[in-house]
Amino acid sequence: MEKPTIILATSNGVGMGHLARASAIALALKEYANPIIVSMAGGIAEIPEFMGIRCEYIPGRDRMWMSREKWDEYLRDRLLALVDETGARVMSFDGVVPYPGVIAAKVSHPKLALVWVRRGLWQKKPQRFVLGLQSQMMDYIVEPGDFARAYDFGPTAERKDARLTSSVSLFQKDTALSRDEARKVLGLDLNRPAVLVQLGTGDSDVNEKMTAALSGLLGWKDLQVILTKQPLDKDGKSLAPAGLDIRVVRHFPLARVLHAFDASVCATGYNGVHELLPAQVPTVFVSNIRGTDDQEARAQWCHDMGFALRANQADLGDVTATVKKLQDADVRARLSKKCAELPDPIGGAEIAKILYELAVREEPIRPSWLRYNQLRIQEHINRGMRHVAYMGLRRLALLYRFINPHIVVQVTRQEPPIWGSQNTAKELHPLIKGEQRFEHLITGASGAYIKRRKEIAEAAYGEKIEVINTKKQ
């Protein structure tokens, strides 16, 4: 039997959470299917080279490479073109808000099963008001398990429309390198202590948390402080206090080398918790309160259950004091030993099996929004009604974006787009981050697919966009 193709789409999001889950699922799928990851996240540049998975980058709406209205159509057409090229029968979407273009792709291709990989632990943000409608438009919903699910009191917690799995993580015991192996890969000293710091930089409060956390590491003898990017503010000024041996390393997936670290300081995002704790790395969590993810609830659970330390993200003094506790060998030993009690994060394999079973069904799955109404509407719905449904969902998404607008991060140029099927991080990173429009193609694309993609790009890039800063002051 020929392996089915399954498309795993993700939003750009904040951090690597969506992309990390899709990668974990894709790795599990490789044994019996052909996974393809499509994402608006720049981190997708790391995946093809290191995981051997075909990928396609889709520029997000916040790149401002086209108007917002055209972007919805562009995303729909990009997804449909990829479905037609690969013969995929299943597409998953990992993101908080399913884009209108994702829903429109399903409406335009009734035989395509659309699966929402919907993380729990939502804060009570505006997204909750469209949660019911978005859920009904899906064929299937999967909720990746969360160690802290007992502390989930958000809008998804009481819903009965999702299948709950184990937690999803790129960390797996059987593929993780030993301490010395991991240190050799990263170029770290084998005999000196090493701490991984993953807090991010950007706005002033985030920068202040980084400085406070690094200050808590001062005085740790012979310490190597490892970050994934330089700790600099927007003006290029260092956020690190003097006296620390700062090293910047890039390795993907980082989950594979976590045994290199004696401790870590990390934001309390989904993949941070579900990689560091199963790897038994003693950790201080400093939550990021932006976005939908209820990081404070997750951090509190980790602290209350004894698996990690929680620093009060609103108190810089507490951040420094809590991080300083990691210098105590007994504290680190206690946390590491406690983490051994956690279940293995095998949700990636569980979700992969769900997607595969949907892909090999002889009959298309009945969409949940049809089951909800107990009618087979899809066979009878006309084009006008589909258009109304699509436009209604799109307006709801636009309403959310009015309340919580994207930050415009890129000025567009008028040059024709760059085309290519690059599959190394070295090639992809500058193209994804650059100012010139970039049209990425999966490796092995057919002539017909390239022709269709050029038609889609021509329709999308017909006008210049005036760039303004839509960030709330």
Side-chain angles (χ1 to χ4, degrees), residues 259-408:
H259 285 153
F261 304 108
D262 297 284
S264 72
V265 183
C266 187
T268 327
Y270 183 95
N271 59 312
V273 169
H274 295 93
E275 290 177 5
L276 289 165
L277 298 192
Q280 296 179 241
V281 180
T283 300
V284 168
F285 287 118
V286 184
S287 298
N288 183 345
I289 61 173
R290 291 178 173 83
T292 309
D293 193 18
D294 194 348
Q295 293 197 12
E296 280 286 72
R298 192 179 289 115
Q300 193 64 54
W301 181 89
C302 293
H303 178 88
D304 290 351
M305 299 300 116
F307 294 108
L309 301 179
R310 169 191 172 271
N312 181 355
Q313 62 85 29
D315 184 340
L316 298 177
D318 186 66
V319 171
T320 298
T322 305
V323 170
K324 194 173 184 64
K325 293 178 182 178
L326 289 175
Q327 299 191 33
D328 187 327
D330 291 338
V331 170
R332 298 198 304 273
R334 171 175 60 81
L335 294 174
S336 183
K337 182 179 179 180
K338 181 65 176 178
C339 286
E341 300 174 9
L342 289 166
D344 291 337
I346 58 172
E350 293 175 10
I351 297 175
K353 184 178 180 182
I354 293 170
L355 298 180
Y356 174 77
E357 290 174 349
L358 292 175
V360 298
R361 286 173 61 104
E362 292 186 6
E363 293 294 326
I365 186 174
R366 277 186 83 192
S368 61
W369 65 283
L370 301 186
R371 294 195 303 270
Y372 180 85
N373 291 287
Q374 299 181 338
L375 294 170
R376 295 189 60 86
I377 301 173
Q378 187 63 51
E379 290 84 347
H380 307 289
I381 192 168
N382 60 38
R383 182 175 299 177
M385 292 177 68
R386 289 199 300 270
H387 179 73
V388 169
Y390 163 60
M391 289 303 294
L393 186 69
R394 184 177 172 281
R395 286 192 172 93
L396 286 171
L398 292 177
L399 175 61
Y400 163 68
R401 276 294 161 229
F402 177 78
I403 297 171
N404 186 22
H406 278 298
I407 300 172
V408 176

Side-chain angles (χ1 to χ4, degrees), residues 1-135:
M1 180 180 176
E2 186 178 354
K3 289 183 176 181
T5 296
I6 296 172
I7 296 173
L8 300 99
T10 84
S11 66
N12 51 1
V14 176
M16 287 282 288
H18 304 302
L19 197 54
R21 283 191 294 271
S23 299
I25 297 166
L27 283 173
L29 275 171
K30 283 180 66 175
E31 181 181 349
Y32 45 83
N34 296 315
I36 297 175
I37 297 178
V38 296
S39 179
M40 287 130 260
I44 197 171
E46 309 282 354
I47 293 174
E49 182 179 9
F50 294 102
M51 294 189 170
I53 295 170
R54 288 204 294 170
C55 297
E56 216 174 65
Y57 167 71
I58 299 179
R61 186 166 50 197
D62 57 356
R63 296 307 306 273
M64 296 300 292
W65 286 355
M66 64 198 71
S67 68
R68 179 169 289 177
E69 293 76 10
K70 284 193 174 184
W71 187 82
D72 289 332
E73 297 174 0
Y74 172 80
L75 176 60
R76 176 200 65 196
D77 292 343
R78 283 283 305 263
L79 295 174
L80 287 173
L82 189 59
V83 169
D84 291 339
E85 168 75 358
T86 62
R89 295 185 62 191
V90 173
M91 179 171 65
S92 68
F93 175 78
D94 191 314
V96 174
V97 179
Y99 301 111
V102 173
I103 303 296
K106 160 62 187 173
V107 172
S108 302
H109 206 302
K111 292 184 179 180
L112 178 69
L114 180 58
V115 180
W116 190 5
V117 181
R118 189 185 71 198
R119 170 191 50 74
L121 255 75
W122 285 30
Q123 296 188 64
K124 293 181 179 179
K125 294 291 182 73
Q127 293 95 324
R128 72 185 190 273
F129 297 119
V130 294
L131 177 60
L133 174 61
Q134 291 168 341
S135 300

Side-chain angles (χ1 to χ4, degrees), residues 170-225:
L170 280 171
F171 175 84
Q172 299 296 316
K173 290 180 180 178
D174 57 347
T175 58
L177 298 181
S178 69
R179 177 185 182 276
D180 285 359
E181 289 172 333
R183 289 196 169 202
K184 289 176 182 177
V185 167
L186 297 175
L188 303 182
D189 191 301
L190 297 181
N191 301 312
R192 295 170 56 195
V195 172
L196 175 67
V197 179
Q198 299 183 94
L199 291 180
T201 58
D203 293 333
S204 60
D205 62 324
V206 177
N207 292 343
E208 288 170 351
K209 292 177 193 176
M210 172 67 84
T211 299
L214 292 174
S215 298
L217 299 174
L218 289 170
W220 191 333
K221 186 179 179 181
D222 295 329
L223 181 66
Q224 306 168 88
V225 180

